[in-house]
Structure formats: C-alpha cells, structure tokens
Amino acid sequence: MIEIATSPATTTLVIAGDLDLAERDQFPEIAARVVGLRRQLLVIDMCRVTFMDSTGAAFLISLADSGRKRGGATVLRGCDDRDLFVLEVCGALELFRIDPDHACAPKTPATGVPAVEERPGRTR
C-alpha cells in the first residue's frame, strides 16, 4: 500500500508492505501523480516496508531522479539496512538524503495497549 500526502512544499509517500515485483503495476500511476504534484521535496517513509527488491529500488530511483531533474530532493526515512543495501548495490544511494533519526510512532491496536512493531535488521 502506498499513500500520498502533500503540503505546499513537500510530497510524502508512506509505503507499507512489500515494495517488489508483485507491486510494480501501481508504480507508473504513483510516479505520474508524484511528478505531477511538482513539489521540491519528496519524503519517502519506509517505516512499514517489509521487503524491497530491485524492482522496488528502481521505482524509488525513478522518483528521486525525476525530482533531481527538477532541482528537488528526495529523503528516505525509516529505511532499514537491507533497503539501503539494495539501493547501494543498484548504485543509487547518492540520489537520496537519508533521515537516520526518524522513528514512526507505534501503532495502537483496538485493545488500547500500545504496541511497537520492530522489523529485524532495523536500525534507529
């Protein structure tokens, strides 16, 4: 699932679940919407990404490259070491600013008891 939120200067993508080959059909539409918004800053929130392959990396790279061509910047927040490694192997890590300090607020289930979801390998 990918949600898009905007402010006057920023577009934020919140990605949950897998960012891989199985999800690629939605990438062109999302990319077109993001590019059409013409914001200078694109923030990609990856706190809830469970898996990313090279197809997902290519999607992120295309977004960052489109923004860079317009003079904008792309920030990755909540990205774990595995996801950063995939982008590094693709030779594209320099296209992104990395927000190493971001931490999403924990989800609160219907019971009202706060729950913190941690992904193995996540560095905060």
Side-chain angles (χ1 to χ4, degrees):
M1 176 181 75
I2 301 175
E3 296 178 1
I4 301 173
T6 61
S7 73
T10 305
T11 297
T12 302
L13 290 184
V14 179
I15 304 171
D18 294 347
L19 194 58
D20 62 3
L21 186 63
E23 302 300 321
R24 77 171 178 204
D25 290 344
Q26 65 180 322
F27 296 164
E29 178 186 342
I30 292 167
R33 288 178 59 198
V34 168
V35 169
L37 292 169
R38 297 195 172 284
R39 300 302 196 272
Q40 284 299 104
L41 181 63
L42 173 60
V43 176
I44 302 173
D45 185 321
M46 297 191 49
C47 287
R48 308 252 189 278
V49 171
T50 52
F51 175 76
M52 180 176 75
D53 68 5
S54 60
T55 307
F59 169 61
L60 298 182
I61 292 164
S62 71
L63 292 174
D65 191 49
S66 294
R68 186 180 58 141
K69 287 177 181 174
R70 291 188 326 271
T74 302
V75 175
L76 292 177
R77 70 180 188 197
C79 208
D80 72 15
D81 292 338
R82 276 187 318 232
D83 301 331
L84 292 173
F85 178 75
V86 172
L87 291 168
E88 184 177 18
V89 166
C90 292
L93 202 51
E94 71 279 351
L95 292 174
F96 302 92
R97 295 180 188 169
I98 308 300
D99 178 357
D101 301 323
H102 176 79
C104 282
K107 291 182 181 179
T108 303
T111 62
V113 178
V116 177
E117 293 182 10
E118 286 295 325
R119 241 171 63 198
R122 167 127 1 233
T123 57
R124 298 226 187 234

